[in-house]
Amino acid sequence: MESAQRDGQGFKKRDEDFLLQDEHSPFWAIEKGAVLQEARCFNDTQLSTRKCQQVITKLLYLYNQGERFTATEATEVFFSVTKLFHATDGSLRRLLYLIIKEISPSSDEVIIVTSSLMKDMNSKIDLYRANSIRVLCSITDSGLLGQIERFLKQAVVDKSPIVSSSALVSGLRLMKMNPEIVRRWSSEVQEAANSDDPIVQFHAITLLHQIKQNDKLAVSKLVLQCIRSNIRSPLATCSVIRYISEILQDGNGADTDIYHGFLESCLRNKSEMVVFEAAKSIATLPDVDSRLLHSSMMVLQLLLSSSKPILRFGAVRALNSIAIHDPATVAVCNVELESLVADTNRAISTLAVTTLLRTGGESSVDRLMQQISSLFAGLQDEYKLTIIDAIKSLCTKYPSKHRTLIIFLSSSLREEGGFEYKRSIVGCLLHIVHANAKVKELGLMHLSEFIEDCEYTQLSIHILHVLGEDGPSTEDPSKFIRYIYNRLFLENAAIRAAAVSALTNFGMRCSSLRDQLAVLLLRCVHDTDDEVRDRATLFRHWLKIEGTSSIPDLSSIQVVESALGIYLESEMKSSFQLQDVRVLSQATTSQVEQLREPEVNQTEDELQFISVLRAEKEFADFDFSDGEVLSSTIMPLTECETEYKVTCVKHVTKDHVIFQFAVVNTIEEQILENVTVNMDVISNLASEFDEQFTVVLPLLRVDARAFTYVCFTRTIDTTFSSRFTCSLHFTSKEIDPLSGEPDDVGYEDDYLLEDVEVTFFDFVSPLKLNNVLDDWDSLPTSTEIAERIDMGQHSSLDNILRSFVSVTRLSVCHMFDGSGGSGRGRSYMLAASVNWDEKILVKVEFIVDAAHNVIADVTARSGKEAVTAAFQAALATNVNFFRE
């Protein structure tokens, strides 16, 4: 009996040890130094295959966890693992390939393993051949690539699918670094596209598309060829569907019937992924046939009832994106979407709810709110945020349901949640309050109740500010006083200060509450915090002054400073009066209303660029007169510490885009000859550019700045955005230290530069209009767009306007009344000419909070919808440039 008991205790102890061990990762407490010591086992005469595998696995783990290896450590590991090529174990060889790819040896070290990898490329073992191709193409440089090109072309059409697929995938990688070599494989890749293996066919079609992507006609031919051939791979079919969608989205009307017929046939494909991809693509196509659209919606409707969560998720996400632009089309699926609200997958249920909020009618709002209430309890904040955003869009659609939405949002505020979740609800409530005066008092009351238990200082301050601004205009302002007054004793200093300001606003605007609020503020005069104490003292003084109906604006430090300076220069017979600041502020406001244009003048360096351009003989026939050329600011394309410093200025004319590059050579031991900049278009607008000529810089000595040019002809007369890759090409010649003369023989070299981008604002020129408000009303409202931009922190409103004008190139034409003297924000009307013949007007309101964070509400109109859409996209792209 005792023996059995001891055995039982022994089993129990071993089980506990096993469970404890199972809780930890096998890589727990791994240290880089210890692993590098273990890596010495690669040098052992008698290799332990198992130990080598374990050490390589640890090294791979460290690399993937972001552990940094010094150059010496990486070199030691690399030379050690190369000795494992003598091992014959297959698993160890696969790990060896992985670690070589991860180390990414330098060009000098690659030679060490090149022979071993090329030997494996000709091995009889397909796995070795495939992996060696992948590794060699990932670590090789352009010089070595030419030596192995013959082997790669043979591997593309290899009988083994794994070898052929590896070569094709390597081709996709090489397209990014040396596309010219890969383009020479076109015939072999075309042959691989007819392979019986689905994966090989998929990779081959993908590589063919990459090779021809800059030629729209070639892409169309490729797609038509794929349609007529027998595509066995579902992945390849999905790729072809996406290529067709791109072609139709670009508005290519040729062969549209063939494309639509293929998409319709894909709706009946055996593969579920093909069916889903086809249905999603059809639903997003412009001007699609109603019969075809109905078929795609029926397919998505069936997928909503699928037993597979991934299909339900894909279908509901596709419908959600479609509902943003065309909710009526998605409404046919509302029954199936309502059944997904209770789906066990939270992502699916969230998407179903947000889709229903966009597609449902006014009668379904109450039912949806009840379903969402039961759903919210188990959702994470990220899903709740998505639903709140959808509810916010619903507020504008159905004003009669504002009361229902307010009740739902207020109940959600009382639930547990993070700061972003609570802030989004408060923002939604304020959106309703400011949009519908009938429910303003109800919304403000719920917000007042929320600050009783709010744990976030920033939210409480925001709500107190809103109560102070909007509360006095309600029918019964006194009901909010209790909630605000409680903040004076139960919260931190920042909230107490905001509560003092809110109470003062009530006193200023509600004469019946003035005396009582002055008494309440008296209790804060001896507060422990300086800010609260000073505000209470000053605001109580203002409440006692008869005729004061608003808090004087002292947010402009410059005005206060100027008023104090004038007072100190006077005889100071009387005390300093607040009226002195008001008078000076009004004078400053009248000056601001004269609308001095912010100075965004060209620097001397930029003017030198233009003068040098006009003096070049190659541009003698170009019209560079004022107003006929738009020049950008100077853009650095290299770091300040590099051996070659290159800057660029873009010049746009009606027919050309000229890139002017200033080059400085800082290496004293060499000169540069035949300096040019090679530019390649990497956007979809390659066909819209035609490189006309390049102006070569014949000689560049040390520390001298000289210019080279690349001129493109514009084949379209509209604005566009495009990106160019740039590399500095030159012949370098060493200087003899004795004679000081350069060598007769030099070597050609390329130096990679930063990309250059042509944007919408490069086609914009300032435009002064005298009757800009009338011009605004004359433009069609259908072209109007609205955008809200976070401009970060700015020290002053003048800096905000200067930053906005310098980026957008707009001209200030009008400042709206009442915004000039306000420290909280200003509103302007700006104008510009786009591409010399199209006018765009922009109304912008800058809103500044207490922390100097700036939000810009931008509204734009133009004669063409495409112009305002391009302006909106450019704003989103350049948002970082607005920040100080």
Side-chain angles (χ1 to χ4, degrees), residues 39-47 52 76 79-81 83-84:
R40 295 182 179 180
C41 68
F42 301 151
N43 301 319
D44 294 345
T45 306
Q46 296 293 328
L47 287 176
C52 290
E76 290 178 356
F79 280 105
S80 298
V81 297
K83 298 178 181 180
L84 300 180

Coordinates of all heavy atoms in Angstrom, one line a residue, residues 39-47 52 76 79-81 83-84:
A39 N 27.1 28.3 -31.2 CA 27.3 28.2 -32.6 C 28.7 27.7 -33.0 O 28.9 27.4 -34.2 CB 27.1 29.6 -33.2
R40 N 29.6 27.6 -32.0 CA 30.9 27.1 -32.3 C 30.9 25.6 -32.7 O 31.8 25.0 -33.2 CB 31.9 27.3 -31.1 CG 32.1 28.8 -30.9 CD 33.1 28.9 -29.7 NE 33.4 30.4 -29.5 CZ 34.2 30.8 -28.5 NH1 34.8 30.0 -27.7 NH2 34.4 32.1 -28.4
C41 N 29.7 25.0 -32.4 CA 29.6 23.5 -32.7 C 29.6 23.3 -34.2 O 29.8 22.2 -34.7 CB 28.3 23.0 -32.1 SG 26.8 23.6 -32.8
F42 N 29.4 24.4 -35.0 CA 29.4 24.2 -36.5 C 30.8 23.9 -36.9 O 31.0 23.4 -38.0 CB 28.9 25.5 -37.1 CG 27.5 25.9 -36.8 CD1 27.2 27.3 -36.8 CD2 26.6 25.0 -36.4 CE1 25.9 27.6 -36.5 CE2 25.3 25.3 -36.1 CZ 24.9 26.7 -36.1
N43 N 31.8 24.2 -36.1 CA 33.2 24.0 -36.5 C 33.8 22.6 -36.0 O 34.9 22.3 -36.3 CB 34.1 25.1 -35.9 CG 33.7 26.5 -36.4 OD1 33.4 26.6 -37.5 ND2 33.7 27.4 -35.5
D44 N 32.9 21.8 -35.3 CA 33.4 20.6 -34.8 C 33.7 19.6 -36.0 O 33.0 19.6 -37.0 CB 32.3 19.9 -33.9 CG 32.1 20.7 -32.6 OD1 33.0 21.6 -32.3 OD2 31.1 20.5 -32.0
T45 N 34.7 18.8 -35.7 CA 35.0 17.8 -36.7 C 33.9 16.8 -36.9 O 33.5 16.4 -38.0 CB 36.3 17.0 -36.3 OG1 37.3 18.0 -36.0 CG2 36.8 16.1 -37.4
Q46 N 33.3 16.3 -35.8 CA 32.2 15.4 -35.8 C 30.9 16.2 -35.5 O 30.7 16.5 -34.4 CB 32.4 14.3 -34.8 CG 33.6 13.3 -35.0 CD 33.4 12.5 -36.3 OE1 32.3 12.2 -36.7 NE2 34.5 12.2 -37.0
L47 N 30.2 16.5 -36.6 CA 29.0 17.4 -36.4 C 27.9 16.6 -35.8 O 27.6 15.4 -36.1 CB 28.5 17.9 -37.8 CG 29.4 19.0 -38.4 CD1 28.8 19.3 -39.8 CD2 29.4 20.2 -37.6
C52 N 23.2 21.1 -34.1 CA 23.3 22.2 -35.1 C 21.9 22.7 -35.5 O 21.7 23.9 -35.6 CB 24.0 21.6 -36.4 SG 25.8 21.3 -36.1
E76 N 30.9 36.1 -38.3 CA 31.3 34.9 -37.7 C 30.3 33.8 -37.8 O 30.6 32.6 -38.1 CB 31.6 35.1 -36.2 CG 32.9 35.9 -36.0 CD 33.1 36.2 -34.5 OE1 32.3 35.8 -33.7 OE2 34.2 36.8 -34.1
F79 N 30.3 32.6 -41.6 CA 31.4 31.7 -42.0 C 31.3 30.3 -41.3 O 31.7 29.3 -41.8 CB 32.7 32.3 -41.6 CG 33.2 33.3 -42.7 CD1 33.1 34.7 -42.4 CD2 33.6 32.9 -43.9 CE1 33.5 35.6 -43.3 CE2 34.0 33.8 -44.9 CZ 34.0 35.2 -44.6
S80 N 30.7 30.3 -40.1 CA 30.5 29.0 -39.4 C 29.4 28.2 -40.1 O 29.7 27.0 -40.3 CB 30.1 29.3 -37.9 OG 31.1 30.0 -37.3
V81 N 28.3 28.8 -40.5 CA 27.2 27.9 -41.0 C 27.6 27.4 -42.4 O 27.0 26.4 -42.9 CB 25.9 28.7 -41.1 CG1 25.4 29.1 -39.7 CG2 26.0 30.0 -41.9
K83 N 30.1 26.0 -43.3 CA 30.7 24.7 -43.2 C 29.7 23.5 -43.1 O 30.1 22.4 -43.3 CB 31.6 24.7 -42.0 CG 32.8 25.7 -42.0 CD 33.6 25.7 -40.8 CE 34.7 26.8 -40.9 NZ 35.6 26.8 -39.7
L84 N 28.5 23.9 -42.9 CA 27.4 22.8 -42.8 C 27.0 22.3 -44.2 O 26.2 21.4 -44.3 CB 26.2 23.4 -42.0 CG 26.5 23.8 -40.6 CD1 25.2 24.3 -40.0 CD2 27.1 22.7 -39.8

